[in-house]
Amino acid sequence: EYIAMRTDITELQEDKEHIRNSLGITTANFTEARQQAREYENAIDATWSVIRTDTNNIITYMNDTFLATSGYTREDLLGKNCTLLRHKKHIQRGDCEKVKQKLAKKEIVRMQFENITKKNAPCFMDTTIIPIANSKDEIVEYLHLMNDVTELVLIHQEIEKTQQEIIYLMGEIGESRNKETGNHVRRVA
């Protein structure tokens, strides 16, 4: 005895042919485009810290570069609000809410954030946040591209501190000869 089963796939094949003909996409073209997309993604991952959040600021993805910079693991951050990473001054000033309002208007936001690493150390990030929309032009997530500028910020802070110390020393020197001159140097500082 033989049992035969048939499924009519004519409509499926017609749809497939229509897509292929209308879009002009061949399997080779699609494979090449996919490979190029992977190469772009690898280039971005090698140079930028990347986080993706949903529209409620819940972290849905982070790349290895971000994990290495921040000291966190994926388990530490997935499903958490990205404000967890921010220095409390950003929360107190309402920076995160301001950013969220701009993103809701589909504006790209550029800002320097002071993040806190897992070891509670400051980590300064030049950040660009891009709203990502679906085919219906509805925002579905935010892409955070970050560049670690901690070393530059800390050097700048060190220079400012050194300059301040020099000015106070000049005031003390002037004060040792004439109190009025020392006070003048401090006022100018």
Side-chain angles (χ1 to χ4, degrees):
E1 168 178 11
Y2 298 99
I3 297 176
M5 296 175 63
R6 295 184 337 186
T7 303
D8 185 8
I9 60 167
T10 306
E11 189 176 327
L12 181 64
Q13 282 299 108
E14 288 172 352
D15 288 345
K16 191 172 156 183
E17 286 297 317
H18 173 71
I19 290 170
R20 182 178 289 138
N21 292 336
S22 65
L23 296 178
I25 297 176
T26 64
T27 304
N29 288 346
F30 182 73
T31 303
E32 184 63 29
R34 199 164 158 198
Q35 176 59 32
Q36 283 182 333
R38 280 192 202 116
E39 290 296 319
Y40 287 125
E41 187 176 316
N42 290 340
I44 289 170
D45 278 346
T47 54
W48 292 88
S49 291
V50 178
I51 290 180
R52 289 178 16 210
T53 59
D54 66 14
T55 55
N56 295 315
N57 293 334
I58 303 302
I59 298 171
T60 59
Y61 169 83
M62 74 283 312
N63 70 353
D64 292 336
T65 304
F66 176 79
L67 294 173
T69 301
S70 68
Y72 288 100
T73 65
R74 280 187 173 74
E75 295 74 29
D76 292 334
L77 298 176
L78 276 177
K80 304 281 179 20
N81 194 304
C82 69
T83 56
L84 160 83
L85 301 168
R86 307 292 184 231
H87 187 278
K88 64 183 176 186
K89 71 180 178 186
H90 293 297
I91 310 300
Q92 292 167 346
R93 289 191 313 222
D95 291 343
C96 294
E97 276 307 309
K98 291 173 191 169
V99 167
K100 194 173 179 181
Q101 290 169 1
K102 287 182 178 184
L103 292 171
K105 296 176 193 172
K106 298 181 182 172
E107 293 179 33
I108 294 174
V109 177
R110 290 176 180 85
M111 185 172 183
Q112 186 181 91
F113 279 107
E114 182 178 346
N115 288 345
I116 302 299
T117 66
K118 188 171 183 173
K119 293 182 178 180
N120 213 24
C123 180
F124 297 89
M125 303 293 260
D126 271 346
T127 305
T128 302
I129 307 172
I130 304 163
I132 304 296
N134 62 15
S135 60
K136 297 175 186 172
D137 204 33
E138 302 165 331
I139 297 173
V140 293
E141 71 177 351
Y142 303 123
L143 179 66
H144 304 239
L145 300 173
M146 297 169 280
N147 186 24
D148 184 5
V149 293
T150 304
E151 190 174 332
L152 294 173
V153 170
L154 294 178
I155 288 171
H156 180 75
Q157 289 174 349
E158 177 89 17
I159 290 170
E160 282 182 348
K161 185 179 173 186
T162 303
Q163 287 174 339
Q164 190 176 31
E165 288 173 7
I166 290 170
I167 290 170
Y168 281 124
L169 278 173
M170 287 173 56
E172 286 178 14
I173 291 168
E175 196 173 77
S176 68
R177 294 192 152 208
N178 180 340
K179 191 167 183 95
E180 199 173 301
T181 304
N183 288 335
H184 174 70
V185 170
R186 286 203 179 144
R187 284 192 304 274
V188 171

